[in-house]
Each structure stands twice: as C-alpha cells, then as structure tokens.
Amino acid sequence: MRKQIAAANWKMNLTVDKGEKLLDDILAAGIELSADQLAVFAVPSPYLQLAQKKLAGRKNYFIAAQNCYSKKSGAYTGETSVEMLQSLNIQYVVLGHSERREYFQESNQFLAEKLNLVLEYNITPIFCCGEPLSIRDAGTQNEFVATQLEESLFHFSAEELQKIVIAYEPIWAIGTGKTATSEQAQEMHAHLRSVLAGKFGKEVSDTISILYGGSVKASNAKEIFSQPDVDGGLVGGASLIADEFITIINSLK
Ligand code: PGA
C-alpha cells in the first residue's frame, strides 16, 4: 500500500508554548501508526529542533519544515538551507505551498531547483500543487495542475520521483471552509496520477502518495481519505486543534 499521511501545516501560527502543548496533547493520544501510516508536523522553523526532540521514539511520527531555500548556503539572510534541516534530522519539507507561490512569487521553475537540492540531501519533499478559483471556474484545472507537475517534476528520473510526496490543494478550498467534495478530490487525484503515469509509467505513479489539502477537518477526513487515489491530507486550520488532528490521524486508511 502507498504511504497514508496525515500532515499538519501549522503555517505562521502558535507561540512556542502553545505549539509544545499542542504536540504534547496529540502525542498523549498514543495513536499507534501502522507501517504504512505517517503523521507529519510542519512546524515554524524556530520550533523545528524542539518539536523534533518531542517525537523521539515515536514510530512514524515526523517533523517537517514548511519551506527551505534553493541554494546550499551563503549570503541569503532569513532563509533556511537544506543542510540545516539535515543537521537537525528533519526528514520532510513542504515545498510550493500556494501561499509561498502567491505571496513569495515561487514559480514552478524555482520549485524545481528546491526539489533538486532537497532530494540531493535525502529529505522528502511534500510538493504542493492546486488551482485558483478562476481556473476551476474556467474548467481548465486539469491542464493547470498538469503544467505544475511538468515544470517542477518531469526532469526527475522515476527513482527520484518516488521520493516525492504530492499534495493537491485547490486554492479555493484553503482556509475557506469550502472543501472539495470527495468526488472532486478523487477526480483530480486520479488525473494527477494519470499525468505522472504518462511520463513515468503506471507502476511508478501507483506508488506516489497524493495528499488532499483544503479545509480538511475531523468531520470530513474519513470520507475524503477513503477515496482510492487520496492518500491522506495536508491540514492547516484543523491541525491547530489537538482533538481535530487526532481524529484526522485516526481517519487514515
Ligand atoms: P486549511 O489549509 O486546512 O486551513 O484549509 C490547508 C493548507 O493550506 O495546507
């Protein structure tokens, strides 16, 4: 089975005390994950080390960075390097979140550079794609997300691609309370998988975990995750509430 992943994206929220309490509360639920299930917490960078320590000894629980830079090191004030993440034993990083694309002008080409470096350091990227409302309204979402995959991922070998997790997040569903229906999610996930199959072959595309993101919460996680091509979720708002996220982890296939 593909890896099923409940990924929390805290974004720029929570003070360190609140973040620590949230992690403690979630870990206190003592959810035992099976070999194919992962819980990943993308925390703000100042908390990476503390959060990483908290997960010591927890099988299949991981900390992720929310971003990193495309250069190895040097005079890039304010940025976080992949080498820094590696030195903290961070094994996941979210790349290409729509907020990074929109507010920090991250292009598909720039994300390809980041992905190259992240794979070089053996860190798993959670690569986000997804269309804005105008594209969905125009009915061209399939072409739009295919281009995101083509321009950021198609230069990789099949072996490299298999080290990448994809998150489909329709922008119109992020933080809006408006979730894609489970049918819409399934339809797009199947499309993404067929785009990958066209380039890398079906056998390879069948191994890629594709998460859904956009207003996932305790009350809808089970139904969304139960879709055949949905392998868990990337969760913003609801990941900040312990009980919500506990239920979301428990909703994994
Ligand atoms: P949301 O955010 O769950 O608050 O919609 C999801 C995301 O941006 O990853």
Side-chain angles (χ1 to χ4, degrees):
M1 184 161 80
R2 289 188 288 269
K3 297 270 182 235
Q4 304 295 307
I5 305 174
N9 178 10
W10 290 5
K11 308 192 181 186
M12 199 176 74
N13 290 300
L14 305 174
T15 57
V16 68
D17 291 350
K18 288 183 177 152
E20 205 177 351
K21 166 120 180 36
L22 176 59
L23 265 185
D24 283 340
D25 288 348
I26 293 168
L27 293 175
I31 304 170
E32 300 240 351
L33 299 168
S34 72
D36 293 323
Q37 296 176 323
L38 308 179
V40 178
F41 299 85
V43 306
S45 48
Y47 311 159
L48 283 170
Q49 197 165 13
L50 174 76
Q52 179 75 339
K53 285 197 176 128
K54 288 215 160 271
L55 297 194
R58 294 292 188 129
K59 204 164 152 280
N60 288 353
Y61 285 77
F62 295 96
I63 296 300
Q66 294 179 9
N67 182 33
C68 65
Y69 199 48
S70 60
K71 305 281 186 205
K72 282 196 173 169
S73 65
Y76 303 102
T77 302
E79 294 294 334
T80 303
S81 76
V82 185
E83 190 181 44
M84 292 170 190
L85 299 181
Q86 192 188 52
S87 71
L88 294 171
N89 292 319
I90 298 298
Q91 292 173 51
Y92 287 83
V93 60
V94 177
L95 288 180
H97 190 280
S98 63
E99 289 147 19
R100 300 290 322 170
R101 291 173 184 267
E102 183 181 350
Y103 305 137
F104 303 95
Q105 284 76 48
E106 296 196 0
S107 67
N108 294 334
Q109 289 76 14
F110 181 53
L111 292 167
E113 286 177 39
K114 292 190 183 195
L115 286 160
N116 290 342
L117 201 56
V118 164
L119 289 190
E120 188 184 320
Y121 281 80
N122 286 318
I123 292 176
T124 303
I126 300 176
F127 173 75
C128 304
C129 60
E131 79 285 356
L133 185 59
S134 57
I135 295 287
R136 173 65 63 165
D137 283 345
T140 53
Q141 66 273 15
N142 285 1
E143 294 79 359
F144 186 90
V145 292
T147 301
Q148 289 180 320
L149 298 191
E150 280 161 24
E151 294 186 353
S152 295
L153 304 181
F154 271 27
H155 62 292
F156 287 122
S157 67
E159 197 190 328
E160 287 166 330
L161 183 83
Q162 287 177 292
K163 297 178 179 161
I164 297 171
V165 171
I166 294 176
Y168 167 63
E169 301 203 302
I171 299 172
W172 45 271
I174 295 178
T176 57
K178 195 177 161 189
T179 324
T181 63
S182 50
E183 291 78 22
Q184 281 173 321
Q186 169 55 28
E187 203 181 329
M188 180 56 91
H189 283 224
H191 168 65
L192 293 172
R193 217 176 281 293
S194 78
V195 170
L196 294 175
K199 168 74 183 169
F200 300 96
K202 185 171 175 341
E203 238 175 73
V204 170
S205 82
D206 278 345
T207 66
I208 308 294
S209 297
I210 307 180
L211 318 185
Y212 169 79
S215 298
V216 173
K217 39 189 184 278
S219 59
N220 61 21
K222 189 117 204 157
E223 187 187 335
I224 295 172
F225 296 176
S226 72
Q227 298 300 311
D229 283 297
V230 178
D231 304 307
L234 179 57
V235 187
S239 77
L240 301 173
I241 303 162
D243 286 346
E244 284 276 319
F245 199 64
I246 288 167
T247 303
I248 290 167
I249 300 174
N250 278 325
S251 304
L252 286 174
K253 279 203 264 286

